[in-house]
Amino acid sequence: MVLENASQLVLSRWRSGEWSIAFSTESGSFPSDPALVMDGSDALLAASVGEDGLPGRSSRRIDLYRIDTTTGAGALALSVRPAGADEDGDFRLAVDRLEHPALHRDADGVSLAFISYTIGADGRAESGLWQTRLTSQWSEPALVDTGVLGHITPAFDSDGVLHWVRQTDGDAAWCAGAPSSCTDLGSAAVRGLTVDGGTASVSTLGAERTRSLQGP
């Protein structure tokens, strides 16, 4: 279980009939969108975290912690920061804000995806989807797609295929693996994207204000 407090992330586990704290971060302003994946006996915990102080809600980075679940010891393993961040991380991207991380572990390594926001001169945000991968080390984050729906967290299926939702000519499209593999959803109102093992589905809201669930 992952808890979000105003200034830290807390990872708890259920053991012997009760919850206990396995790990907590020292600081981090308004952490949100936690994602968790196991890597052997280690837990990888990623979240969107604000800069310390007053800008904490608007200037956000992606932090990833590696936690030894046998001892509770953990440390920051990766930090991806926007252009305006006060301090450097492992990577600094020419964007204004980073949110909605997603994680996947396979036999060859770990994949991390997240969404960026860049505020234009007109005050509108352009959203992008990024991905980085850990084999022997983390790769430079690569821009996967632009024009994504920024409120929909991307998700990996059990095969490591990345799913996300983008805006296309007024309606939303559901993409899997590459921007060339997108399916028009026939609706601009997307409520959520979920992945259960190898099965993905998108919830939309039609003109009659009823929800529908679409699968592959």
Side-chain angles (χ1 to χ4, degrees):
M1 179 176 69
V2 181
L3 302 177
E4 306 165 20
N5 290 330
S7 62
Q8 63 180 174
L9 282 168
V10 179
L11 176 64
S12 297
R13 60 186 169 194
W14 181 259
R15 177 179 290 177
S16 302
E18 62 181 7
W19 287 103
S20 62
I21 294 177
F23 173 78
S24 63
T25 59
E26 293 184 359
S27 65
S29 182
F30 303 105
S32 63
D33 308 325
L36 181 71
V37 71
M38 295 302 297
D39 183 18
S41 63
D42 289 351
L44 300 180
L45 173 61
S48 174
V49 181
E51 298 298 304
D52 292 336
L54 293 178
R57 287 189 183 274
S58 57
S59 177
R60 303 185 67 76
R61 64 184 187 265
I62 300 294
D63 281 350
L64 183 145
Y65 294 86
R66 179 175 288 275
I67 304 155
D68 184 339
T69 57
T70 63
T71 65
L76 184 65
L78 176 71
S79 183
V80 185
R81 304 196 176 215
D86 290 337
E87 299 179 6
D88 281 330
D90 297 279
F91 302 104
R92 184 185 289 268
L93 304 181
V95 299
D96 296 318
R97 184 182 175 101
L98 302 170
E99 287 188 302
H100 300 300
L103 285 168
H104 177 74
R105 176 71 171 95
D106 58 35
D108 299 320
V110 177
S111 294
L112 167 67
F114 53 87
I115 290 176
S116 70
Y117 304 86
T118 303
I119 310 302
D122 58 359
R124 295 186 178 185
E126 174 69 19
S127 301
L129 175 69
W130 299 75
Q131 185 171 350
T132 178
R133 184 161 173 82
L134 171 66
T135 49
S136 59
Q137 60 183 15
W138 288 99
S139 64
E140 181 79 26
L143 182 62
V144 177
D145 198 6
T146 58
V148 303
L149 285 183
H151 68 287
I152 302 296
T153 301
F156 291 96
D157 63 25
S158 58
D159 294 324
V161 177
L162 180 61
H163 297 256
W164 70 96
V165 179
R166 71 190 312 267
Q167 198 80 36
T168 305
D169 298 328
D171 279 339
W174 171 14
C175 306
S180 58
S181 300
C182 298
T183 302
D184 192 340
L185 292 169
S187 172
V190 178
R191 314 300 286 180
L193 165 67
T194 59
V195 174
D196 183 8
T199 302
S201 58
V202 175
S203 174
T204 62
L205 190 65
E208 68 282 5
R209 309 303 292 174
T210 59
R211 294 192 181 196
S212 62
L213 197 64
Q214 301 193 36

